Amino acid sequence: MTTKRILIIDDDDSVREIIQICLEVAAGWEVITACCGSEGIVLATAEKPDAILLDVMMPDMDGPTTFKHLQANPLTQNIPTILLTAKAKISEKQQFIQLGVTGVITKPFEAMDLVAQIRNLLKWTE
């Protein structure tokens, strides 16, 4: 069984840290982090993670814009991407799904539920 590699793109240091600890401890996944969209794109291209957790609200380049860049690149367009957002309205979630993301996880989330939510969205069984 290979270890899953997850790229977290979030401008909030504490959120990145919580998610990283969560995924490493609870799931045993390898975690790569980026503090902004542009860094995330570079890391996604270089590291080819199994999935990306992408914050919606970020300065400079927001999540949907970052996702469009990832989609435009043949090296990253097939990486499943889950948006993390504090915007929980159904209509907003629909808009995100229409962008082509794999799923949307609403903040704040329960740390222990996060792994289950990610596995569920990505249909990962292990």
Side-chain angles (χ1 to χ4, degrees):
M1 184 183 97
T2 58
T3 303
K4 299 288 188 193
R5 297 171 79 211
I6 310 284
L7 171 60
I8 301 165
I9 306 173
D10 196 311
D11 61 310
D12 186 322
D13 296 345
S14 56
V15 170
R16 272 200 321 271
E17 227 167 272
I18 291 165
I19 298 172
Q20 179 167 8
I21 291 165
C22 221
L23 301 186
E24 288 176 345
V25 173
W29 295 336
E30 191 183 319
V31 176
I32 309 157
T33 63
C35 61
C36 62
S38 52
E39 185 189 359
I41 292 165
V42 169
L43 281 171
T45 307
E47 300 287 338
K48 315 244 184 346
D50 295 299
I52 297 171
L53 293 182
L54 176 58
D55 185 27
V56 170
M57 302 289 285
M58 293 187 291
D60 302 328
M61 190 189 301
D62 68 2
T65 305
T66 303
F67 180 69
K68 285 179 184 142
H69 283 280
L70 291 166
Q71 287 296 290
N73 182 340
L75 295 173
T76 55
Q77 66 186 11
N78 295 322
I79 301 171
T81 302
I82 297 172
L83 289 179
L84 299 174
T85 180
K87 295 181 173 181
K89 287 198 194 104
I90 303 288
S91 61
E92 289 167 318
K93 278 190 172 181
Q94 276 312 118
Q95 286 176 316
F96 295 143
I97 297 294
Q98 283 165 351
L99 285 175
V101 297
T102 304
V104 179
I105 293 177
T106 310
K107 291 180 188 177
F109 42 77
E110 281 298 313
M112 286 301 132
D113 292 345
L114 186 61
V115 170
Q117 283 183 286
I118 293 169
R119 281 194 169 128
N120 194 13
L121 286 167
L122 297 170
K123 297 174 179 53
W124 286 353
T125 49
E126 81 279 356

